[in-house]
Amino acid sequence: MSPSYRTPEEVNALHERIRFLEEALEANAYAMDVLASTTAIFGDTDRNRSPELIIQNTIESIRRLLPTQDMAVYVLDNDCSFNLDYQERPGELTPDLSETVEQLIQDGQFSWALHQNHPVCLPSPVEGESVMLHVISTRTRIRGMFVARFRQAELQRYEMILSTLTMVLFNTAYALESADLFQMMDRRQKALQRITERQSRELLHHMSHDSLTNLPNRMLFSDRLSQAMERHAGAAAGHVALILLDLDNFKRTNDSLGHRAGDELIRKVAQDLSALLDHARERSGRHLRTTLSRLGGDEFGILVEDTHGLEGVVRLVTDVVRKTATERQIFDQPVVSSVSCGIAVYPYDGEDADTLLGNADAAMYEAKQRGRNGFRFYTQDLNARTFRHFELENELGQAIANDQLRLHYQPKIELESGRIIGAEALIRWQHPTLGLLPPSHFIELAEDMTLIEEIGEWVLRQVCRDLQSLRVAEDELPRIAINVSARQLRQPDLAATFHRIIREAGIPPRCIELELTETAIMDDPQGAARVFQRLRHAGMSLAVDDFGTGHASLVQLKQIPADTLKIDRSFVKDLDQGEEHSQIVRAIILMAHTLGLDVIAEGVETERQAQILQQLDCHTAQGFYFSHPVAFDALRGLLRDRVQLPAATA
């Protein structure tokens, strides 16, 4: 047969072959095109972060590769369960592809297909169809499973490009991997951002709020004050009132009960002030801006805006003073506190925050000077007094070094004979321009500046030097009383320090008597008892000064190892005004004798007072009737000449 002759069967077979090759070539061309575009699966830097979009791009690529009856993608979750994420034609074919997959899972063929890195074709429940499974995995981790239904004839036609499907799904797995990684990093980044923002807020709050009371601190308060002044600049109505308040005698509480108790008192005062301001806002019936701040230590600030007229400020600060002056339980100890307030008003008392704060502070200092537990509005003359106060602080710090302190002595008299049996040392400050200042002008200032310990030691040393200068036998030396402040009493080494000073001076300890006020003792009776015991052990005698003003009970007095009670001058001054005024003094003297204590009355100014005291069985007294405080040279002369001071009662 001629080679050029073909039978019809051969021609048809050749045509079929050519058509197959053309289809295969076309399919391969599609495959190459799909491969070239597999990067679309990853998307751009934003889109590849969505697993849903990755699956959608994968389906679009596979749809161009293979003609399927239906296809689906199962994704492996964090609990290692396969979940149907996408299905092309859910519920349209029978049986549904998802039902077929469930059967394959039960038969174990689904699990087997997971470990194959190529398409796995399995029989379908529908005649003439197959089910293809292809794992979606990287080299190290399974991400899911691709499932499709094919007519068997179509599948055979495209089996040459199934390797392309493997590459597509391989890229899909890595895209899902990168999406998971990005989401994890994104979660961590957002968590870190939340933590950073929270810490920033906490840091800002810490920088602008007081850690003890959680109130705005001085920095935030000053900022709010400046903003309030800007809001009201040039306003026809409304004022900005600045109230500064300071706890009275807070150092005494802090020293006697300890810093923890002081902090607790500050917290409770802050809570009470906050509640008071909340009530004031409710009572005002309109919007009233207030800011409460702890400015430091025991000082608070209150900023009041939108108050028409000063009457509202007066009502508010009156409530503050009245409701703060109350007894509070601090660690089971009753503590009575009060406040002194200073008020400055914008725009009258200052046009900037610093000036207004300074003027309110001057007014507060004036309130303290006028007896505490009250308030004062700023007036222009206060600045000069405040400046003088600060000058005095600086000068007091140099008073000891510049030898400006002096001691005057007020004799103590035996009433029966008029004989001088001792004296009380009273400090004075010889100021270079103001002259001789009594202790009322600077002792409280010294306590605030914590100079009182140094001044107390100077007093004791000077008393020892003066006693040395008498040049008499030890048994002829008089007993000199020295005042001790409550702050000195808190010194843990007070007894040892005083004993050392006396020993170095060679003065018998019995010649030194230490006086402490009843009020100071009652602030911490247990602590006072411990220190008194040490001082007595060192040989010094002890006196309770101003007795009758501190409300000490008989039991408390019995526990304090004192030697002498000094009747306060407030009880002595009215002795000659009638029998009823002598009853308290009679009771004090009787109580003292019952406890085996000596009694001395201070502030005796008339002969009649001295006579009554002697009749009430009080044997010792001091006061202007006998002698004003004198310099030591004058006292030395009185002792040397054995002078008997007014002896009309003898």
Side-chain angles (χ1 to χ4, degrees):
M1 183 180 294
S2 172
S4 60
Y5 176 77
R6 295 290 189 268
T7 65
E9 292 79 6
E10 290 176 331
V11 172
N12 290 337
L14 185 59
H15 285 168
E16 186 67 27
R17 181 64 176 170
I18 292 172
R19 186 169 59 254
F20 175 80
L21 291 174
E22 287 175 347
E23 290 177 354
L25 182 61
E26 183 180 0
N28 286 337
Y30 273 118
M32 294 301 293
D33 184 45
V34 169
L35 280 177
S37 61
T38 51
T39 54
I41 294 174
F42 290 91
D44 56 32
T45 55
D46 292 326
R47 294 173 62 203
N48 66 355
R49 310 312 183 193
S50 168
E52 294 78 10
L53 190 57
I54 292 172
I55 298 300
Q56 180 182 338
N57 291 337
T58 298
I59 293 299
E60 290 178 359
S61 297
I62 295 175
R63 194 179 290 124
R64 296 170 59 192
L65 278 174
L66 301 172
T68 61
Q69 297 295 104
D70 194 6
M71 55 182 169
V73 174
Y74 286 79
V75 176
L76 189 66
D77 62 18
N78 292 330
D79 296 326
C80 297
S81 298
F82 283 89
N83 300 311
L84 180 61
D85 187 80
Y86 171 83
Q87 186 175 354
E88 183 90 352
R89 301 171 64 186
E92 294 184 15
L93 302 177
T94 304
D96 190 75
L97 184 58
S98 61
E99 297 175 0
T100 302
V101 171
E102 288 296 326
Q103 187 61 47
L104 293 174
I105 291 174
Q106 294 178 14
D107 294 343
Q109 293 175 304
F110 188 93
S111 176
W112 171 76
L114 286 174
H115 301 283
Q116 313 304 314
N117 290 325
H118 55 77
V120 174
C121 293
L122 301 172
S124 169
V126 180
E127 186 177 355
E129 290 185 357
S130 295
V131 177
M132 184 179 71
L133 304 178
H134 197 307
V135 67
I136 304 173
S137 68
T138 65
R139 297 185 183 279
T140 58
R141 183 178 178 186
I142 295 174
R143 305 294 313 188
M145 179 72 83
F146 172 74
V147 185
R149 285 174 60 168
F150 288 93
R151 292 189 180 89
Q152 291 177 350
E154 291 179 347
L155 181 60
Q156 292 172 358
R157 182 181 301 173
Y158 292 101
E159 62 180 79
M160 294 181 60
I161 61 172
L162 290 182
S163 58
T164 306
L165 176 64
T166 299
M167 298 187 67
V168 169
L169 296 177
F170 185 72
N171 286 336
T172 300
Y174 272 102
L176 292 172
E177 190 87 7
S178 73
D180 274 0
L181 180 61
F182 173 79
Q183 289 179 351
M184 179 184 69
M185 294 175 63
D186 187 52
R187 287 193 298 271
R188 290 184 178 179
Q189 180 67 25
K190 289 179 179 177
L192 180 61
Q193 184 176 357
R194 288 194 300 271
I195 293 172
T196 303
E197 290 174 352
R198 185 183 72 248
Q199 290 179 340
S200 297
R201 290 193 300 270
E202 291 174 354
L203 179 60
L204 180 61
H205 185 85
H206 176 74
M207 292 175 60
S208 61
H209 286 73
D210 171 55
S211 59
L212 180 63
T213 62
N214 203 34
L215 293 175
N217 61 15
R218 181 179 291 271
M219 179 185 72
L220 181 56
F221 186 75
S222 297
D223 181 64
R224 290 187 179 178
L225 175 59
S226 297
Q227 292 180 23
M229 295 170 73
E230 289 178 6
R231 281 193 294 269
H232 291 267
H239 304 87
V240 177
L242 172 62
I243 304 170
L244 294 187
L245 54 137
D246 192 86
L247 292 181
D248 298 328
N249 301 316
F250 177 72
K251 291 186 185 302
R252 180 187 299 173
T253 302
N254 218 21
D255 292 341
S256 61
L257 299 182
H259 291 290
R260 286 183 62 248
D263 288 347
E264 183 65 16
L265 176 60
I266 291 291
R267 275 193 292 266
K268 290 195 172 184
V269 170
Q271 292 170 0
D272 292 345
L273 290 173
S274 296
L276 187 150
L277 292 179
D278 289 342
H279 179 67
R281 284 191 293 270
E282 294 173 1
R283 187 179 58 191
S284 68
R286 57 184 173 80
H287 180 63
L288 179 69
R289 291 185 180 181
T290 62
T291 297
L292 173 64
S293 167
R294 184 192 178 203
L295 303 179
D298 59 330
E299 187 178 7
F300 293 85
I302 300 176
L303 178 63
V304 184
E305 293 184 65
D306 302 324
T307 173
H308 293 280
L310 299 181
E311 297 82 1
V313 178
V314 172
R315 285 196 299 270
L316 177 62
V317 76
T318 300
D319 284 346
V320 167
V321 172
R322 180 170 54 84
K323 294 184 178 180
T324 306
T326 184
E327 182 178 282
R328 297 177 177 84
Q329 289 294 319
I330 307 296
F331 299 145
D332 298 327
Q333 291 285 338
V335 175
V336 178
S337 63
S338 61
V339 294
S340 299
C341 303
I343 310 162
V345 180
Y346 172 82
Y348 311 119
D349 302 329
E351 296 183 355
D352 60 79
D354 290 340
T355 301
L356 207 65
L357 282 164
N359 290 341
D361 192 64
M364 181 179 70
Y365 173 71
E366 177 68 10
K368 282 186 173 293
Q369 290 295 99
R370 288 178 175 265
R372 299 183 171 87
N373 192 29
F375 65 89
R376 294 286 294 173
F377 277 89
Y378 170 77
T379 56
Q380 291 185 354
D381 66 318
L382 290 182
N383 274 339
R385 276 180 273 174
T386 303
F387 178 73
R388 185 67 224 146
H389 171 78
F390 291 137
E391 269 193 334
L392 210 60
E393 279 190 352
N394 294 330
E395 293 165 350
L396 181 58
Q398 301 298 319
I400 296 178
N402 295 336
D403 193 27
Q404 295 173 357
L405 298 183
R406 302 286 185 268
L407 284 184
H408 284 194
Y409 294 85
Q410 185 171 44
K412 294 183 178 182
I413 309 302
E414 184 181 63
L415 288 174
E416 183 177 2
S417 64
R419 182 172 60 92
I420 300 174
I421 61 172
E424 180 180 359
L426 301 168
I427 192 169
R428 303 287 188 267
W429 179 10
Q430 187 65 57
H431 193 276
T433 59
L434 300 178
L436 195 65
L437 299 179
S440 60
H441 281 59
F442 63 89
I443 286 299
E444 184 176 338
L445 188 62
E447 290 186 342
D448 290 341
M449 297 172 62
T450 67
L451 282 175
I452 194 65
E453 294 90 345
E454 185 179 357
I455 290 176
E457 292 182 18
W458 179 89
V459 169
L460 180 58
R461 287 192 173 93
Q462 186 60 45
V463 167
C464 290
R465 285 192 291 266
D466 289 341
L467 288 174
Q468 286 174 330
S469 69
L470 290 177
R471 309 292 183 186
V472 297
E474 285 189 359
D475 58 352
E476 296 182 9
L477 289 173
R479 178 183 293 175
I480 304 298
I482 297 172
N483 290 285
V484 178
S485 74
R487 189 177 184 90
Q488 286 177 273
L489 197 66
R490 312 310 170 209
Q491 291 180 259
D493 57 347
L494 178 68
T497 300
F498 276 20
H499 181 65
R500 185 185 71 253
I501 292 173
I502 294 171
R503 186 181 66 249
E504 291 173 353
I507 298 298
R510 66 164 186 81
C511 293
I512 303 298
E513 181 178 63
L514 303 179
E515 293 186 2
L516 190 71
T517 65
E518 181 190 7
T519 301
I521 293 172
M522 288 304 100
D523 282 343
D524 183 16
Q526 294 180 346
R530 288 193 298 268
V531 177
F532 269 33
Q533 194 64 51
R534 297 190 194 105
L535 292 168
R536 286 196 69 184
H537 183 73
M540 289 169 273
S541 59
L542 305 165
V544 179
D545 197 7
D546 299 339
F547 187 79
T549 62
H551 310 294
S553 68
L554 184 62
V555 174
Q556 291 171 322
L557 191 61
K558 186 178 180 180
Q559 294 173 346
I560 298 173
D563 302 284
T564 303
L565 291 187
K566 292 190 73 174
I567 303 174
D568 186 68
R569 66 181 67 249
S570 63
F571 301 113
V572 174
K573 68 182 180 65
D574 294 328
L575 273 177
D576 51 2
Q577 301 301 313
E579 177 65 23
E580 66 275 8
H581 296 286
S582 65
Q583 296 303 316
I584 295 178
V585 176
R586 186 191 306 274
I588 293 174
I589 294 172
L590 180 61
M591 180 175 63
H593 289 166
T594 302
L595 295 174
L597 302 177
D598 294 331
V599 182
I600 180 171
E602 60 180 346
V604 179
E605 298 183 356
T606 68
E607 180 181 359
R608 181 59 182 154
Q609 290 171 355
Q611 291 173 346
I612 294 174
L613 285 169
Q614 191 173 2
Q615 293 169 5
L616 295 175
D617 205 18
C618 177
H619 306 300
T620 312
Q622 68 182 87
F624 290 168
Y625 172 65
F626 304 105
S627 172
H628 284 72
V630 297
F632 186 72
D633 287 343
L635 178 67
R636 186 190 352 246
L638 294 174
L639 292 171
R640 183 187 61 239
D641 298 338
R642 301 182 183 276
V643 173
Q644 292 185 354
L645 294 174
T649 58

